[in-house]
Structures are given as structure tokens and as C-alpha cells.
Amino acid sequence: MADIGKTIVNVAGGGRVTLHALADLQFGSKSCDTHLMKHEFQRVLDDPSGGMSVILGDLTDDDRPTTRDMRKAMFHDRPEVQDADARDKKFFIDQKVLPMLLPLAQTRRGIIGVLAGHHWSYVRVKGPKTEAHPGGVRYVNSARYICDELGRLTKRRVPYLGIMSAWIWLHFKGPNNLGVQKLVHIQHGVGGGQTLASALNKLEMTARWAEADLLIRAHDCKLVAAKTARLGPRENRGGEIKSLKSKVIALLNVGAMTRAYIIDGDEPDYAEMKMMRPTAMGWGEAHFDLRRCGTAEDPGRNWTADIRVTI
């Protein structure tokens, strides 16, 4: 991972704040449903709680790890070919991808984190001459470049959090500096599986080792939402243990914007070529319902945030 995200979410008091989880856009692919994607983007923009979003990778229909290695091997002695390809990728991002994502970065709460995922490419960036880059030319991860450019255009940080996984701290702050923290683990995901249970199993396995209140995963284009709980003894102010406390962990696996099967005169896309199951179109949301605890729940009546996941 490249960083640990940290976002301050200022709230007037109790109420709901929604986090929209986006992934597997694969923009530029013939399978990308741009009409549905615009509709889903509009849902984020219309969100009265501020339109907060996180992107879990595969923004564009770019190289996979294997094809990136193949490209390097094939053109290792032809840097001008790799340079031309990096120029073309940057042009596509500047002309198509950034205008599409810019409204999401301009919402009240913005984009709080971005992963690259499997599909990304190198883009050519011209900058100041340094010892490491005497010609002033750098080749950077396209997802990182997108974050940097969105940050430049909006004058607010759009965090690039790495290729495959990261954590994000959400600090909800209310009146008189009262608030609550929630930890979110995001991963692009690996592997497949024909059943919905396979995605849920992978999330539960991650929950064994990744400390988090909410875990979000993508990659296999399945829409699944669930919760699990952990129990432990609660000690009161007098040091006595007379009750149990529970921690609810929310699990969310999000879908994609790519159609597996389409009617087209050309060759079928890779999903049909491999006779994979149809993809689940659409994404998911995590809702943080902020409230004060009851006395029985917490004698100090501190703030808490109940998490609800929807697909």
C-alpha cells in the first residue's frame, strides 16, 4: 500500500453519512456500460450527506500485470515505443477519464481514496529536471496520476492509497469536538469463484487478520453485503464484569460497470470467451448512522456510528 487514508468528516450532530464504493469501471472497454455509470455517478452527486466516495481500482481498460511484463520484455530495447504508449495513455486519461471523475472529486466530501487494482498503465509526465530524472520525464502509475490531477484541478487532496489494499480512518467530528472513529479496510481483491459465497468467504478471511469496522472488496464483480459480530466482556467503572460488549463488522463486496455478455458483431469479450457467469452491475454503499449511545450501552453516552451496508 502507498498510504493510510485519514478523512475528517464534520457533522452537525446525529444523522447519516454515506460512503459510496466504486470499482471496476474499466472505462474504454467495449463492455463498459457508460450509461449506467453516469447514472451511478449521479447518485453520488445527489447524495444529501455529501457524496463521499472511494474507488477500489480498475478505473480504465488497461494492462494487467501479465501484459505489463510482456510489454516491458517485448520493447525493452525500444524505449521510444514505450514512451509513445505512455503518451497515448496520458492523452486518453486527460481527455476522457479526468472529465468523467472530476464531478466526484468536487462533491462536498470528495473522493477519500483510490486504489489502482490490476488494470493500470504507465503515463508520461513532464516535470522539473532532477537528479533522478535529468530529462524531467517520469513514468507514473496511471491511478496515481489521476489522483494528482484531480487534486490539482480541485485544489484538494485525492489520496492515492496504493495498488491492491489500504486502510482509511474516518474521523466523524460533531459539536464540541465530540465524535467517533471508524476504520475501513479496502482491497481490490484477487481470485474468482462462481458463487456469491466465494466473495463473502474472501471478505471473512480478510477480517481474520485485518482490523476494521468495515471491509470493502471488489474485483470479482459480485454484489454481496453482510455483517458479522465479535463478543467480549465489558468492564464497568467499578472494575466489575457484568455484561458483554459486541463489535459489529460490516462486509461489502461491490460489482462493476462491465457487461459480461453483449450482442456485438465482433469477437466476444473475455468473460464470454471463458464462459464466466454474468457480472453484477452496480456498486454498493456503507451508511454511517451517527448517534449518542444510551446509558446502558455506554455510561459516558459517547458518540457512535452504526454501519449499514446496501447493494
Side-chain angles (χ1 to χ4, degrees), residues 43-84:
R43 285 174 46 123
V44 180
L45 301 181
D46 293 339
D47 177 8
S49 75
M52 182 167 61
S53 61
V54 62
I55 303 177
L56 278 71
D58 287 6
L59 285 86
T60 56
D61 187 39
D62 275 321
D63 281 335
R64 302 187 301 274
T66 52
T67 56
R68 279 194 298 274
D69 292 341
M70 290 171 58
R71 191 184 299 274
K72 286 182 180 180
M74 290 174 63
F75 300 108
H76 68 93
D77 58 345
R78 296 289 304 278
E80 72 279 8
V81 175
Q82 298 185 53
D83 183 76

Side-chain angles (χ1 to χ4, degrees), residues 183-199:
L183 183 59
V184 181
H185 181 267
I186 59 173
Q187 62 169 310
H188 176 68
V190 296
Q194 291 293 311
T195 66
L196 295 176
S198 63

Side-chain angles (χ1 to χ4, degrees), residues 11-12 89:
V11 292
K89 298 292 187 182

Side-chain angles (χ1 to χ4, degrees), residues 22-35:
L22 288 53
D24 295 285
L25 289 69
Q26 297 198 12
F27 188 64
S29 164
K30 70 177 182 179
S31 299
C32 178
D33 191 333
T34 55
H35 295 291

Side-chain angles (χ1 to χ4, degrees), residues 33-311:
D33 191 333
T34 55
H35 295 291
L36 177 61
M37 187 160 59
K38 290 177 182 177
H39 173 75
E40 292 296 308
F41 281 172
Q42 195 61 47
R43 285 174 46 123
V44 180
L45 301 181
D46 293 339
D47 177 8
S49 75
M52 182 167 61
S53 61
V54 62
I55 303 177
L56 278 71
D58 287 6
L59 285 86
T60 56
D61 187 39
D62 275 321
D63 281 335
R64 302 187 301 274
T66 52
T67 56
R68 279 194 298 274
D69 292 341
M70 290 171 58
R71 191 184 299 274
K72 286 182 180 180
M74 290 174 63
F75 300 108
H76 68 93
D77 58 345
R78 296 289 304 278
E80 72 279 8
V81 175
Q82 298 185 53
D83 183 76
D85 184 62
R87 288 173 185 261
D88 292 342
K89 298 292 187 182
K90 180 179 180 298
F91 181 80
F92 174 72
I93 289 173
D94 289 342
Q95 297 298 313
K96 300 292 186 180
V97 180
L98 290 175
M100 174 186 69
L101 295 177
L102 183 58
L104 298 179
Q106 292 174 324
T107 63
R108 179 156 56 96
R109 302 200 188 278
I111 302 172
I112 66 169
V114 175
L115 295 177
H118 290 111
H119 293 264
W120 55 269
S121 60
Y122 289 103
V123 299
R124 185 184 194 273
V125 178
K126 184 74 173 177
K129 296 181 179 180
T130 63
E131 183 177 345
H133 306 282
V137 173
R138 295 180 296 122
Y139 299 96
V140 302
N141 176 312
S142 56
R144 181 187 290 275
Y145 173 73
I146 289 170
C147 291
D148 291 345
E149 285 299 290
L150 289 176
R152 182 183 65 81
L153 292 169
T154 60
K155 294 181 172 54
R156 63 198 290 192
R157 183 169 179 259
V158 176
Y160 171 71
L161 299 181
I163 293 179
M164 292 301 290
S165 68
W167 279 271
I168 302 174
W169 275 111
L170 289 178
H171 296 257
F172 297 95
K173 287 194 173 182
N176 302 319
N177 213 30
L178 296 175
V180 61
Q181 294 185 149
K182 290 295 179 180
L183 183 59
V184 181
H185 181 267
I186 59 173
Q187 62 169 310
H188 176 68
V190 296
Q194 291 293 311
T195 66
L196 295 176
S198 63
L200 193 56
N201 286 340
K202 290 180 176 66
L203 278 167
E204 287 193 283
M205 289 176 66
T206 304
R208 293 179 182 177
W209 59 263
E211 180 66 28
D213 300 291
L214 165 66
L215 295 97
I216 311 177
R217 181 180 175 273
H219 174 65
D220 56 15
C221 308
K222 296 183 179 73
L223 277 168
V224 185
K227 288 184 178 181
T228 184
R230 292 175 179 170
L231 290 176
R234 184 198 303 276
E235 188 176 49
N236 63 22
R237 291 180 177 179
E240 299 175 311
I241 299 175
K242 294 186 176 181
S243 63
L244 297 176
K245 61 181 179 180
S246 67
K247 176 181 179 178
V248 175
I249 301 170
L251 310 173
L252 176 61
N253 205 94
V254 298
M257 285 295 116
T258 52
R259 297 166 293 182
Y261 293 82
I262 58 176
I263 299 175
D264 195 328
D266 296 329
E267 292 185 3
D269 203 359
Y270 70 93
E272 186 176 353
M273 287 291 290
K274 295 181 177 293
M275 292 306 298
M276 299 166 69
R277 62 164 187 79
T279 53
M281 306 293 288
W283 295 313
E285 301 162 348
H287 308 284
F288 298 86
D289 292 328
L290 304 167
R291 62 178 178 83
R292 277 189 177 277
C293 294
T295 305
E297 183 180 11
D298 178 5
R301 298 207 63 205
N302 293 306
W303 284 88
T304 189
D306 300 320
I307 304 176
R308 291 173 171 83
V309 283
T310 59
I311 53 176

